[in-house]
């Protein structure tokens, strides 16, 4: 919220590198947070998936859906399977 307010009220103070510096700050803070290993893992998985070709991305979705189903989360598996219907270039984290 504070970041959105800053951008809305003082856009002239935002430099080209501001978002990169904020991303580094958030990653550093996440690394020291309880259970902080999940933010770096999510980033690594995102980078990995981004480097895959289209077939690899579809296979990754199938694999992730199978794993979540096997661990007892069919609702998440269903959500992951539904992502197969969307071209991967449109799949971005929220």
């Amino acid at each position: 919220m504070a970041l959105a307010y800053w951008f809305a009220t003082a856009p002239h103070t935002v430099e080209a590198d501001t978002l990169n510096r904020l991303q580094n700050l958030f990653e550093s803070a996440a690394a020291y947070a309880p259970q902080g290993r999940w933010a770096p893992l999510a980033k690594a998985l995102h980078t990995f998936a981004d480097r895959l070709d289209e077939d690899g991305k579809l296979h990754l979705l199938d694999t992730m859906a199978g794993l979540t189903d096997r661990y007892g989360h069919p609702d998440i598996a269903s959500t992951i399977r539904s992502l197969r219907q969307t071209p991967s270039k449109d799949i971005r984290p929220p």
Side-chain angles (χ1 to χ4, degrees):
M1 294 291 288
L3 184 59
Y5 178 79
W6 175 33
F7 285 160
T9 59
H12 60 282
T13 64
V14 179
E15 299 171 357
D17 196 41
T18 300
L19 291 178
N20 287 335
R21 289 184 295 171
L22 286 171
Q23 178 73 24
N24 290 338
L25 174 65
F26 295 148
E27 288 172 5
S28 295
Y32 293 101
Q35 305 295 324
R37 66 184 173 269
W38 300 114
L41 174 60
K43 183 177 180 182
L45 287 172
H46 181 267
T47 301
F48 171 70
D50 228 20
R51 293 177 183 173
L52 294 174
D53 64 15
E54 192 61 28
D55 287 338
K57 290 175 183 179
L58 293 174
H59 181 72
L60 178 62
L61 287 172
D62 291 340
T63 301
M64 294 299 296
L67 284 170
T68 56
D69 200 19
R70 186 177 310 146
Y71 279 94
H73 299 282
D75 55 323
I76 296 172
S78 177
T79 299
I80 292 171
R81 284 187 184 99
S82 73
L83 296 174
R84 272 187 130 270
Q85 309 307 318
T86 307
S88 64
K89 64 183 174 198
D90 295 337
I91 301 173
R92 295 285 174 221

